[in-house]
Amino acid sequence: ALARERSVTKAAERAGVTQSAMSHTLRRLRELFDDPLLVRGRGGMVLTPRAEALAVPLRSGLLSLARALAEPPLFEPEQASRTFRLVSPDLFDALVLPTLLQRLGHEAPGIDLAVVPTPRRLADSLETGEVDLAIYPVLLAPEPFELGTQVDAELQRQTLFKDSFRCFLRAGHPALAGHRLTLKAYTKLSHVLVSPGGEGPGVVDRVLEASGRKRRIALRVPQFASALEVIAQSDLVLTAPSSLAKCSAAANLLCHSAPVDIPEHAITMMWHPRFTEDPAHRWLRELMVDVTGSVQSLPRTRRRSGSAR
């Protein structure tokens, strides 16, 4: 203000302070820079060479600060061009990505998606923006826990939809000779477990263990697509989310209620709180909620149809 007005009185008016306060400020600035900064000249107050040298970079710095503190710009998806990176399981990709890409094509043609492997430190990747969203299943047991890599409690979460578990078998499977999959037959069968980490018990194993039972896991695979191909050509059984029945690869498989009480789970969207108010990030989350609204868990009643729609 002093550099622009070259007057203590006018600078005080510009800054909204009293003249004495501005005079005190000028004294402090002179002490700080060891320079008079503003001195009397023939036509009034003039800036010293030191003050002239400070004026331009100070104005530039204040302008940058003002821009940083200003309201964030509106995000216009139809004009935007960027890539959002997601961490998500393959079942979610099969169920949601086709519809999501269709919506992007209509509403945000310049927006691209990249589904990336789960980083070793997911929370760090979400904080830095290397990953925008992480999709994880969370078991709705008395004490919810992630059905996968443990994540930090600091992350923001929102449930996209809930799902239950069902059993998937090939048509003509001998275990269904009595048209019902019993618990005794279930525990005697060989099972395929979708396990991205390749080790450790699954949800079913924990439930069976609580009642003193166990099952044989004959095969572990990292993705549901592989599991569907295997059970379609073998006598293995897959216990998986009900929504798997909506995948075209499961169309010729039988979908039955599990003969063991398995808690439901929620498909949860996670992100770092530093991006909660970011316009582009908020738009992506709202779109994800809208797109996943059509993904519903199948009813709990037993289905014997050869088509698991």
Side-chain angles (χ1 to χ4, degrees), residues 92 96 99-100 103 107 158-161 269 282-296:
F92 180 87
V96 175
T99 304
L100 181 59
R103 287 284 298 274
E107 302 173 22
Q158 183 174 358
T159 296
L160 295 175
F161 61 92
M269 174 173 60
R282 184 169 59 244
W283 172 83
L284 175 64
R285 298 195 309 268
E286 291 173 353
L287 178 62
M288 194 70 75
V289 170
D290 192 29
V291 168
T292 56
S294 61
V295 181
Q296 300 293 332

Side-chain angles (χ1 to χ4, degrees), residues 174-195:
L176 299 176
H179 305 295
R180 179 173 174 267
L181 183 60
T182 65
L183 179 57
K184 182 178 180 180
Y186 179 79
T187 54
K188 287 184 177 181
L189 288 172
S190 293
H191 295 251
V192 56
L193 173 63
V194 177
S195 173

